[in-house]
Amino acid sequence: MRLLKVATCNLNQWAMDFDVNLTNIKESIAEAKDAGAVIRLGPELEITGYGCEDHFLELDTVNHAWECLRDLLVGDWTDGILCSFGMPVIKGSERYNCQVLCLNRKIVMIRPKMWLANDGNYRELRWFTAWKQKDQLVDFQLPCEIFEALGQKSVPFGYGYIQFLDTAVAAEVCEELFTPCPPHAELALNGVEVFMNASGSHHQLRKLDVRLRAFIGATHTRGGVYMYGNHQGCDGGRLYYVAQGSQFSLKDVEVVVAQVDLEAVASLRGSISSFQEQASCKTTVASVMVPYKLCQSFNLKMCPSSPLKINYHCPEEEIAYGPGCWLWDYLRRSGASGFLLPLSGGADSSSVAAIVGCMCQLVVKEIANGDEQVKADAVRIGHYTDGQFPTDSREFAKRIFYTVFMGSENSSEATRSRAKVLADEIGSWHLDVPIDGVVSALLSLFQTVTGKRPQYKVDGGSNTENLALQNIQARIRMVLAFMLASLLPWVHDKRGFYLVLGSSNVDEGLRGYLTKYDCSSADINPIGSISKQDLRAFLRWAAIHLGYSSLADIEAAPPTAELEPIRSNYSQLDEVDMGMTYEELSIYGRLRKIFRCGPVSMFKNLCYRWGARLTPSEVAEKVKHFFKYYSINRHKMTVLTPSYHAESYSPEDNRFDLRQFLYNARWPYQFRKIDELVHELDGEKIHLEEPSEHETLGVTSHGGGGMGVAAAGSGNPNVGF
């Protein structure tokens, strides 16, 4: 037997905070060593933090990374353990995203990333160059301070692997695993048995299975030990990185250790004829020889690890724990003393409140489990004294969470009551603030200036007056929210300030169904990339599993903005205002973003999806209606509050969904093409059966009549990876 103990380390790094990052790295090495591991893998770019973005263009960032690496190498941190550290490296005129492999106070080799992540949330080509010389390792001159500290002048640099006396080890960096021709395939044929993937992969709803399939696929037909180390937590931006161990955790350092028998790898490879044949005519990959043994022989005191069961969280749990952990990281690192949430009693703001409540529960649980860092942060944020600390989530919420119901004459008693009951269940400090006096003052000022006073539509006013009156209420709530967040700590003799939480969902952002600079404008938004359908499912789950039973009533209530007067024959409803349902919005969003459909291709796909119940003319009107309001309101995405990224069709303009914000909202060319298609089809229904369960998942029956991949996938939230 060749027994090898390895450790993957998931670290909660913070972009540009080298002290925090170095401390976490050292703690992870210490834990790995204590467990007897001889290989330690951390996340991608762990020394700097993954989310440095344009800070990577600064020479200071690269220099500080070398300084931290020197600190690690002059001490005993790498004694007896192969460590892979992620950091930026400049070679010549190019900047590379690298894994620096170190052992016994020496750098063994530097492996630059060959295939960079450059879509969705990732822009690595903006900061790094992809390494293209696959046929050789080149000599890299180490910085003077490294030479002076270690006495090492140069190191092999490039694509290759390390050949030890008893096994071969190689790095594969994040995105490379997901490429059409991943490096591990070629490396396995060259005899590499251990693959180390340092990653910077963010959380997205329903994404875990995609990752696991990639890991399994990497070794299923060729054998090997695949190590995966990832960031976890919020490192300073919209993304939440999720560890493969606990997945969602408040811990800064999480080390997963496994002991494997490499003879099992050799045995599998020897039993696969096609592997043997391909290995015999492989392309040779360069290697670095290291005369050192990593493995132990047969020893009853060293038992191989048993496979661990992967915990698949349902989407409702992901919504609770992912944004909950993200909020905690943001709160403890921002210097704020808590959160303030405008709580309307509707589904969206109640979802945010429940997520904050879940965060409080997680904090109390981690403190009970002995996490001293969480305890220290909670004591500081909650202003505990005399050795006290949080032991009850409701008591902790009372210290760090304000909720405010800002009602008007258009608010119902039902929503006011639901907000109050939920606040009591969570434990927040709840305020009921009427805004009619402020609205009236503004309208009086307007009347003084113009001589006119606008009226609601139900009272005879025009659409322009009606919309303006709604926007006044919405924007006043934003102003009051920020005023209360800044002054309430002072009122209650507390230090610091409160972060204002937003509560608009991804579908409202896509449609633009929000007022610019209303309560969608906040400091951060934990649900801005989550669909209405997923939020309603979350509310049903949270009513039971988080213990906030009032959420069931909130979920059952029809969504309404409550910005217009309620009359016996009229009650404002979101879906009526929008002219489309939230379910339809999700479909439009997936077709537009995931399947990259413009108006014409969206129309064609929806003719298949909805053809059994709508004529092409009716489908055309729906598509035109969506694109009209999407384009009219696209400008709102430029000021969208930074949101937790969770959904693959997010319209977030900052980096994920890069499109113009000034459109010709009439779409004359595209809409004319749709009209021509409708005319050709003569306005008749397409004779299709309603989609079956298999077709919804993208599988078409052999008998024909399917919808195609895009149309089928448009209604499936699992599609998009």
Side-chain angles (χ1 to χ4, degrees), residues 479-543:
V479 173
L480 282 174
F482 276 97
M483 185 182 75
L484 291 169
S486 63
L487 291 177
L488 279 177
W490 167 71
V491 169
H492 292 137
D493 198 25
K494 293 182 179 179
R495 297 185 304 274
F497 60 96
Y498 276 51
L499 294 166
V500 177
L501 296 180
S503 58
S504 60
N505 62 62
V506 70
D507 297 321
E508 290 171 347
L510 177 65
R511 165 61 172 73
Y513 185 63
L514 51 91
T515 299
K516 205 172 187 179
Y517 305 118
D518 68 349
C519 284
S520 64
S521 296
D523 290 308
I524 51 175
N525 181 357
I527 67 165
S529 185
I530 302 175
S531 73
K532 191 76 164 188
Q533 290 175 290
D534 279 336
L535 287 174
R536 296 190 73 164
F538 163 71
L539 290 173
R540 293 191 295 270
W541 176 89

Side-chain angles (χ1 to χ4, degrees), residues 355-658:
I355 289 169
V356 176
C358 178
M359 181 202 78
C360 293
Q361 293 181 17
L362 290 172
V363 168
V364 170
K365 180 180 178 181
E366 285 301 317
I367 292 173
N369 289 338
D371 193 311
E372 291 299 323
Q373 183 60 59
V374 174
K375 181 179 178 180
D377 288 333
V379 167
R380 172 178 54 83
I381 295 167
H383 304 296
Y384 288 89
T385 58
D386 301 325
Q388 294 182 321
F389 56 87
T391 57
D392 178 79
S393 65
R394 294 184 73 255
E395 187 275 334
F396 185 52
K398 181 71 73 174
R399 288 174 176 260
I400 66 149
F401 188 30
Y402 284 113
T403 51
V404 188
F405 181 84
M406 292 183 270
S408 73
E409 61 182 357
N410 302 321
S411 303
S412 68
E413 191 56 43
T415 53
R416 174 180 277 103
S417 173
R418 286 196 288 264
K420 178 67 168 63
V421 171
L422 177 60
D424 288 343
E425 289 177 339
I426 294 170
S428 66
W429 190 297
H430 187 67
L431 300 173
D432 191 326
V433 180
I435 65 170
D436 289 327
V438 186
V439 173
S440 178
L442 281 173
L443 291 177
S444 296
L445 174 62
F446 180 84
Q447 188 173 12
T448 300
V449 172
T450 66
K452 292 189 174 184
R453 192 177 187 93
Q455 299 292 320
Y456 289 104
K457 191 173 182 178
V458 294
D459 296 328
S462 65
N463 286 330
T464 300
E465 295 169 73
N466 196 62
L467 183 60
L469 287 171
Q470 294 182 67
N471 288 342
I472 290 170
Q473 299 168 69
R475 291 186 173 120
I476 283 172
R477 286 171 174 146
M478 183 273 289
V479 173
L480 282 174
F482 276 97
M483 185 182 75
L484 291 169
S486 63
L487 291 177
L488 279 177
W490 167 71
V491 169
H492 292 137
D493 198 25
K494 293 182 179 179
R495 297 185 304 274
F497 60 96
Y498 276 51
L499 294 166
V500 177
L501 296 180
S503 58
S504 60
N505 62 62
V506 70
D507 297 321
E508 290 171 347
L510 177 65
R511 165 61 172 73
Y513 185 63
L514 51 91
T515 299
K516 205 172 187 179
Y517 305 118
D518 68 349
C519 284
S520 64
S521 296
D523 290 308
I524 51 175
N525 181 357
I527 67 165
S529 185
I530 302 175
S531 73
K532 191 76 164 188
Q533 290 175 290
D534 279 336
L535 287 174
R536 296 190 73 164
F538 163 71
L539 290 173
R540 293 191 295 270
W541 176 89
I544 299 170
H545 295 89
L546 295 182
Y548 308 141
S549 59
S550 66
L551 293 175
D553 292 334
I554 292 170
E555 189 278 329
T560 173
E562 290 196 335
L563 294 171
E564 295 182 72
I566 300 172
R567 297 288 188 265
S568 59
N569 60 347
Y570 178 77
S571 182
Q572 186 180 23
L573 297 173
D574 287 359
E575 293 184 334
V576 175
D577 277 358
M578 293 190 297
M580 59 192 76
T581 66
Y582 282 108
E583 181 181 2
E584 288 171 343
L585 262 174
S586 292
I587 291 173
Y588 298 143
R590 292 189 181 94
L591 285 172
R592 184 196 67 100
K593 177 66 177 177
I594 300 171
F595 295 101
R596 298 163 293 280
C597 288
V600 176
S601 54
M602 184 182 290
F603 164 74
K604 291 177 180 178
N605 277 286
L606 289 178
C607 277
Y608 285 117
R609 181 168 188 86
W610 293 338
R613 56 187 178 86
L614 298 176
T615 66
S617 179
E618 291 169 327
V619 173
E621 287 307 308
K622 283 182 173 290
V623 170
K624 290 178 183 178
H625 186 73
F626 164 70
F627 272 99
K628 173 185 176 181
Y629 284 98
Y630 154 76
S631 53
I632 286 173
N633 291 305
R634 178 66 189 180
H635 66 95
K636 297 177 181 178
M637 297 303 96
T638 64
V639 296
L640 201 65
T641 295
S643 301
Y644 178 98
H645 178 84
E647 181 56 74
S648 54
Y649 69 88
S650 170
E652 192 265 315
D653 178 74
N654 183 266
R655 70 197 64 201
F656 184 71
D657 187 41
L658 306 182

Side-chain angles (χ1 to χ4, degrees), residues 75-275:
D76 62 357
W77 299 102
T78 62
D79 289 357
I81 186 168
L82 175 68
C83 292
S84 182
F85 301 118
M87 59 178 277
V89 174
I90 294 176
K91 184 183 184 303
S93 301
E94 308 95 49
R95 186 185 298 99
Y96 294 99
N97 175 349
C98 295
Q99 289 302 119
V100 182
L101 290 89
C102 305
L103 175 68
N104 292 331
R105 311 191 190 198
K106 297 291 182 183
I107 301 174
V108 179
M109 71 173 289
I110 298 177
R111 163 66 154 85
K113 192 172 182 179
M114 298 188 296
W115 308 111
L116 301 177
N118 206 56
D119 51 23
N121 286 295
Y122 298 98
R123 297 286 180 273
E124 289 184 12
L125 278 170
R126 180 180 174 96
W127 311 300
F128 301 109
T129 298
W131 180 254
K132 302 175 182 68
Q133 301 177 42
K134 289 187 61 179
D135 56 341
Q136 62 178 331
L137 288 168
V138 300
D139 199 49
F140 176 78
Q141 195 78 20
L142 290 170
C144 292
E145 60 268 25
I146 299 297
F147 167 64
E148 292 170 358
L150 307 179
Q152 184 178 3
K153 290 184 178 180
S154 62
V155 64
F157 186 101
Y159 171 56
Y161 63 94
I162 304 175
Q163 181 64 62
F164 291 95
L165 295 175
D166 49 4
T167 188
V169 179
E172 182 170 72
V173 190
C174 196
E175 176 75 9
E176 294 175 348
L177 169 64
F178 302 97
T179 57
C181 300
H184 66 252
E186 185 177 54
L187 290 165
L189 296 175
N190 277 265
V192 173
E193 294 177 314
V194 181
F195 306 96
M196 300 185 295
N197 189 313
S199 185
S201 182
H202 67 277
H203 171 244
Q204 193 165 288
L205 292 177
R206 306 172 178 89
K207 185 181 177 183
L208 174 62
D209 194 50
V210 177
R211 249 192 235 112
L212 292 178
R213 287 201 304 267
F215 301 152
I216 294 170
T219 57
H220 179 67
T221 59
R222 55 186 69 92
V225 176
Y226 206 93
M227 300 173 62
Y228 179 81
N230 197 17
H231 291 270
Q232 68 178 18
C234 165
D235 78 340
R238 293 162 172 79
L239 304 183
Y240 178 81
Y241 299 95
V242 57
Q244 281 306 125
S246 61
Q247 297 179 49
F248 304 105
S249 173
L250 302 185
K251 294 184 174 67
D252 284 340
V253 176
E254 184 174 69
V255 178
V256 179
V257 178
Q259 185 153 268
V260 295
D261 178 15
L262 294 182
E263 292 294 342
V265 176
S267 176
L268 174 65
R269 290 177 175 177
S271 69
I272 303 173
S273 176
S274 58
F275 184 93

Side-chain angles (χ1 to χ4, degrees), residues 11-22 24-25 43-56 58 60-61 64-65 68 86 88 127-128 231-239 241 252 329 332-334 655:
L11 308 182
N12 194 333
Q13 306 297 75
W14 192 3
M16 300 300 292
D17 192 325
F18 293 91
D19 287 336
V20 164
N21 298 346
L22 192 57
N24 289 345
I25 291 170
E44 183 178 11
L45 295 167
E46 61 181 312
I47 291 179
T48 57
Y50 183 85
C52 296
E53 299 184 330
D54 279 3
H55 286 296
F56 284 126
E58 301 165 3
D60 277 0
T61 304
H64 295 332
C68 292
W127 311 300
F128 301 109
H231 291 270
Q232 68 178 18
C234 165
D235 78 340
R238 293 162 172 79
L239 304 183
Y241 299 95
D252 284 340
D329 277 343
R332 71 192 181 107
R333 288 173 169 171
S334 67
R655 70 197 64 201

Side-chain angles (χ1 to χ4, degrees), residues 291-307:
Y292 187 84
K293 289 183 65 176
L294 292 177
C295 301
Q296 299 284 332
S297 58
F298 174 67
N299 186 339
L300 287 178
K301 294 181 180 180
M302 299 178 63
C303 298
S305 301
S306 299

